[in-house]
Amino acid sequence: MLPHQIELLSPARDADIGIEAIQHGADAVYIGGPSFGARTSADNRVQDIARLARHAHRFGSRIYVTMNTILRDDELEPARKLAWQLYDAGADALIVQDMGLLEIDLPPIQLHASTQTDIRTPEKARFLQDAGLSKLVLARELTLEQIAAVRDVLDPHRCLIEFFVHGALCVAYSGQCYVSHAHTGRSANRGDCSQACRLPYDVTDHLGRIVAHDKHVLSMKDNNQSDNLRALIDAGARSFKIEGRYKDMGYVKNITAHYRRLFDEILDERPELARGASGRATFSFTPDPDQNFNREFTDYFVQGRQDDIGAFDTPKNPGRPIGWVTKVGADFVELQTDDPATVVHNGDGLCYLDLHKELVGLQINRAEPAGPPGRWRVFPKDAMDTLRHLKRDTIVNRNRDMDWVRTLEKKSAERRIGVWLRLEDTAEGLSLTVTDEDGHSAHAHLPCALERAKDAAQAQARLRESLGRLGETCFEPIEVSLSLSQPWFVPSSLLNPLRREAIAALEAAREAAWQRLPRAVPVTPPTPYPEDTLTYLANVFNHKARDFYAKHGVKVIASAYESHEEEGEVSLMITKHCVRFSLSLCPKQAKGVKGVQGTIRAEPMTITHNHEKLTLRFDCKPCEMHVVGRIKPAVMAATKASPLKFFRTRPA
């Protein structure tokens, strides 16, 4: 990937979804392999990744495989073998978190730093570049100015910036959340997060007063950077990542198509930029991010701290307003839609907020018109007595549109590479040259006796039409030119095989021209790490990772939280999101407010869910929040952890 190329990077739960991501315009796809992929339910066979890579490489698109869990010592050899298998399967890069991988015999495959490596500073970004990483997924919490500061220290010919532009948001800095492991033994850094951030909590202040009840105060809205793409490009981002390796086919199709359209507009405006792969995608639908599951949207911290980034009422999909209840019957509900033209379908999903502000779902078994335009009678799939607090005038949203779902279950996109075709006559017969938009060319020759055409104009039109029939291929004609000494009549029985032979030769030429991404060479002597002491927050879980940091000058190296050496209270989550700020209880918000300034202090708070308590501590200088707790004795006893004793004190 070159510094002026813009890459749209889509997720794939499996190879079939990955293929559709390519068809809908992705320049690259990231996907999990058979193991070590940081998503316990999104593993894929090496054979399936090979199938996906073959399809992607037809368009010059890339396949990045996630190997971004932290590894035990006994997992390093299986990880090494898997890396070679993925390399042989055609994977273009590995996305890694564990620096121990850089100390073992990996294939010459490009390495990208996972978001789990927690890249927030120019110093760490420069270090990872110098250590041999070619692409860095920056923390989602960075502002445009902070992204630009990272860009300024990188060599764009050695290392590029990747940034998440859409999807679910982890409230913690990636790689800096240990709540799941502390409470359940399931480690987020090993791909098995229990999502404590989506639970409802009671929030109490340092005096025990309740300041929020049953609120999802750690649950963020979903990321959506649609309005910030130009600014992100100017700040230095070059790869734009869509979250969602657990998401379904419809989500990947829709969101990939949405960003493909936005980037195509930008690329048409800015000729100094280029696509990350070949071909243009066209769609049979109008992309709409609101149609997929979302918790409403935020652009998070890209433009600075915002007031409304949390989905505190519910972590579910609230959908979009569709109308209101006009009548509740024994087995039906009547609705009036806001737009009389709106159609309600069998199978649609509706929802509403009950008196406790909890989202209640209503799946439609059958829907039928009920009188004036916009009036519908719907028969719920579930019993009426389960629809608590549903009454007349209740506002209703739709969070599943079956018409939309069915649209995306069908073929919904085509991706074509533009080609020029030139037909010439030769002493032996005909020659066809095909040149694609990337400059690859191929030729096919047809020895034959040529017959003069009786109707020159008609013959030429038929030649152009026949040569331009590329419907079953991944190409489309930009121009068909005829360089003939005189108009010839050529029957389709001769011309079609000539065209097929030329296209097959072009596919072979493109395949032969495919090149692996280069593996970056680490700087020698090894660049010193920005710090000489590492705590459990560095996630060092094996001795090769320890060797890596020691080689780079780190003197004190603690082992990862998962090794169970931190038995007391520690930061189980570090976040840029601040509960105090979101509840308007931040000392900075009180500055200059008469009668309030000086009365609000950043005292600790407590959040409680089902008797599970965590302490919130506020570090106001960097404007961060720490969620503090300790590992449960049951987890300590039940979960086996390899004893790791690195340098726990500074060596003499």
Side-chain angles (χ1 to χ4, degrees), residues 230-266:
R230 289 168 176 79
L232 286 166
I233 290 172
D234 291 339
R238 286 297 177 266
S239 180
F240 296 83
K241 191 170 194 173
I242 298 168
E243 180 275 338
R245 278 196 291 134
Y246 278 152
K247 298 295 177 65
D248 61 20
M249 179 85 77
Y251 169 93
V252 173
K253 284 183 172 185
N254 182 34
I255 303 304
T256 300
H258 169 71
Y259 282 94
R260 181 72 271 160
R261 283 193 166 185
L262 294 179
F263 279 117
D264 283 349
E265 290 176 6
I266 294 171

Side-chain angles (χ1 to χ4, degrees), residues 565-612:
E565 293 187 22
E566 303 289 346
E567 298 182 24
E569 282 203 336
V570 296
S571 295
L572 296 179
M573 182 188 291
I574 305 175
T575 82
K576 191 69 177 174
H577 161 58
C578 176
V579 168
R580 274 195 170 275
F581 184 88
S582 294
L583 298 178
S584 299
L585 294 172
C586 170
K588 295 180 181 179
Q589 291 170 314
K591 281 186 177 179
V593 180
K594 189 175 181 180
V596 178
Q597 182 171 337
T599 65
I600 296 179
R601 293 179 175 82
E603 300 284 357
M605 290 180 161
T606 301
I607 57 174
T608 306
H609 172 80
N610 289 348
H611 307 294
E612 295 282 359

Side-chain angles (χ1 to χ4, degrees), residues 47-122:
Q47 301 95 306
D48 289 326
I49 289 174
R51 175 168 64 92
L52 172 58
R54 284 194 297 272
H55 181 81
H57 293 162
R58 296 178 72 195
F59 297 94
S61 294
R62 301 290 185 175
I63 300 303
Y64 307 145
V65 181
T66 58
M67 288 186 66
N68 57 336
T69 59
I70 57 173
L71 304 169
R72 300 189 308 264
D73 281 302
D74 64 301
E75 292 173 324
L76 288 170
E77 178 58 16
R80 185 194 69 81
K81 290 179 179 178
L82 177 58
W84 279 96
Q85 292 169 1
L86 293 168
Y87 176 80
D88 292 338
D92 295 287
L94 300 179
I95 302 172
V96 302
Q97 175 187 9
D98 196 318
M99 293 297 113
L101 290 170
L102 277 69
E103 296 295 301
I104 64 176
D105 175 33
L106 289 182
I109 190 170
Q110 192 168 101
L111 300 178
H112 298 173
S114 167
T115 185
Q116 298 293 114
T117 56
D118 184 32
I119 307 168
R120 288 181 262 162
T121 66

